[in-house]
Amino acid sequence: MDGLAVLSIASEIYPLVKTGGLADVAGALPLALAQENVAVSTLVPGYAAVLDGLEKAEPVARFKDLFGAPARILRGNSGALDLFALDAPHLYLRPGGPYLGPDGLDHADNAQRFAALARAGAALSQGLADGFAPDVVHAHDWQAGLTAAYLRFSGRRSPACVLTIHNLAFQGLFPSGLLAPLGLPEASLVTEGLEYYGQISFLKSGVNYSDAITTVSPTYAQEILEPDQGMGFDGLLRSRGDVLFGIRNGIDTRVWDPASDPLVTKHYSLRTIKARAENTRALRKKMGLPEIDGALLLGVVSRLSSQKGLDLVLDCLPLFEPLNLQLALLGSGDPALEHAFAAAASESPDRIAARFGYAEDLAHMIQAGADMLLVPSRFEPCGLTQLCALRYGAVPLTSRVGGLADTIIDANDMALSAGCATGLQFEPVAAGALAAALRKAAGLFADSPLWRQIQLNGMKCDVSWTQPAKTYANLFRNLAA
């Protein structure tokens, strides 16, 4: 088989709409797969930002009634991305974000909004649009999970379906009474179908009915088979272990490139890494942090949540002055964590600065300017920030879980002797272990030649989509065959 056609279904896609790493994957993987002779077209909800960013849009299909009102599918592009947009104003044109309203709560009709995405994806994959017949459907996370159920119960010939689990903690749980309104048969409300402790789970649909399941790192693929991180799905995933694959994420190295990034103050590369110091000065100025002689500048770009372990950083704040540390934080999430970091910044403005929300330009500035990037997650399917940090010479300090374990070489004695360390890792995921790692980091940072070697090692790593895309392409070809 030569060229392959894939329909990707995702609830967000960079650069049009982004709340997290899913958007980065949905936007970058198709471009990498093109190098493997795999043509990806992506179906996304018709949010205002998507419709505004869609170029050369033409209608290719219509629905007389899609959960309450007519809808249509537009086809166009955003740069090199080939896109289908589900233009359903009653579902997607509203204030708030893709999942939450302005009040910070889930949209009340999220079940219908993402069932519509899955239903449209299933119809597209079965020939709804003239001239489009994908060999494989690639559904991302719970928002696209019902695609597999719609295909299974359609009674029609369907392409193979792959589900990628980006984060098992989000399972798309809704009342079982919605089964019939969503157009699914009673036969699907079983343990081997959508039923999950009296509810229906969109993610479980994908796990049970897809032909293959992938997660975003090899270690996470193993972790979710055990009760500690299986989130109630471990038994089901073990039963499907023969079609479960861990494929590490990459990043778009054209977007994340310190030698050409338009969002950083000073460009630099492996050969000109000394110029990076100018970005460190710019980041301190942007965040309102003073220049302190010999201070190690830590960066955080993260959701503020228990999963991400940012409460452990709060526990370690008393170490900042004795170890000569500073922190530049960008994130949002748990109001209690936001309040705690805001209070810490107010009490220690020379040591801690925090910006709440998300700003792409500041995220790039932190990667280019921080000496070290903190990722103390309690669990982490893959993580993209540590990959960006490697690329930008911000030495990652991470917990040893999931994709973090797969992508960082800890600066232990053997790795330092061999000259191959790319960051620091700690375990268990507890404040004491993080504190010990911070002490070690401060000691390594004081040894400028050694620190520079760790930075350069990270910048030499291949964090692109090249190898992961080859693995995906092989999986897709095997399924299509």
Side-chain angles (χ1 to χ4, degrees), residues 125 176 203 243:
S125 73
S176 59
L203 186 68
V243 294

Side-chain angles (χ1 to χ4, degrees), residues 174-209:
F174 299 98
S176 59
L178 288 175
L179 191 74
L182 295 181
L184 289 164
E186 194 72 23
S188 67
L189 192 62
V190 293
T191 303
E192 298 78 17
L194 280 70
E195 191 276 334
Y196 187 74
Y197 295 100
Q199 297 179 290
I200 58 175
S201 166
F202 284 27
L203 186 68
K204 194 175 181 185
S205 160
V207 172
N208 271 322
Y209 295 135

Side-chain angles (χ1 to χ4, degrees), residues 284-427:
R284 281 194 168 98
K285 182 177 180 180
K286 175 81 171 179
M287 300 295 287
L289 289 168
E291 295 281 349
I292 299 177
D293 187 43
L296 169 59
L297 179 57
L298 306 169
V300 168
V301 181
S302 177
R303 281 188 294 111
L304 302 184
S305 67
S306 175
Q307 175 204 333
K308 297 297 185 179
L310 274 305
D311 54 302
L312 304 180
V313 179
L314 291 168
D315 291 338
C316 292
L317 292 183
L319 295 174
F320 273 48
E321 189 162 351
L323 294 180
N324 200 11
L325 308 178
Q326 291 178 299
L327 174 66
L329 177 143
L330 171 64
S332 63
D334 184 337
L337 286 174
E338 289 191 19
H339 177 77
F341 277 109
S346 177
E347 292 170 9
S348 303
D350 59 332
R351 295 288 174 181
I352 300 157
R355 300 288 184 273
F356 303 111
Y358 183 76
E360 190 74 15
D361 58 343
L362 184 53
H364 283 245
M365 287 186 71
I366 290 174
Q367 296 287 8
D371 298 307
M372 170 166 272
L373 191 85
L374 287 181
V375 193
S377 304
R378 287 185 166 85
F379 65 93
E380 192 62 69
C382 179
L384 297 180
T385 54
Q386 86 279 7
L387 300 180
C388 298
L390 290 170
R391 177 89 164 143
Y392 278 61
V395 175
L397 193 167
T398 78
S399 51
R400 189 177 282 112
V401 297
L404 303 175
D406 292 329
T407 53
I408 305 300
I409 300 173
D410 178 52
N412 56 49
D413 289 345
M414 292 297 288
L416 289 172
S417 297
C420 62
T422 61
L424 281 80
Q425 295 197 312
F426 68 93
E427 60 180 348

Side-chain angles (χ1 to χ4, degrees), residues 96-165:
Y99 318 117
L100 308 178
D103 57 2
L105 301 176
D106 288 346
H107 293 295
D109 59 347
N110 270 350
Q112 291 82 358
R113 296 172 76 238
F114 295 110
L117 180 69
R119 195 166 192 171
L124 267 180
S125 73
Q126 294 176 324
L128 180 65
D130 290 343
F132 182 70
D135 301 292
V136 175
V137 176
H138 187 189
H140 293 271
D141 259 351
W142 74 263
Q143 294 91 343
L146 279 194
T147 306
Y150 285 129
L151 292 174
R152 174 64 63 92
F153 293 102
S154 70
R156 300 176 59 192
R157 182 179 176 86
S158 303
C161 183
V162 177
L163 171 75
T164 292
I165 300 171

Side-chain angles (χ1 to χ4, degrees), residues 48-132:
V50 169
L51 299 181
D52 290 344
L54 200 62
E55 304 164 19
K56 301 178 181 178
E58 296 288 344
V60 296
R62 297 181 185 274
F63 298 91
K64 290 182 180 179
D65 186 344
L66 188 62
F67 300 120
R72 61 181 183 164
I73 296 177
L74 305 175
R75 189 173 192 178
N77 66 282
S78 175
L81 293 170
D82 181 41
L83 299 180
F84 290 104
L86 180 55
D87 183 19
H90 63 295
L91 297 174
Y92 305 124
L93 293 186
R94 59 180 65 174
Y99 318 117
L100 308 178
D103 57 2
L105 301 176
D106 288 346
H107 293 295
D109 59 347
N110 270 350
Q112 291 82 358
R113 296 172 76 238
F114 295 110
L117 180 69
R119 195 166 192 171
L124 267 180
S125 73
Q126 294 176 324
L128 180 65
D130 290 343
F132 182 70

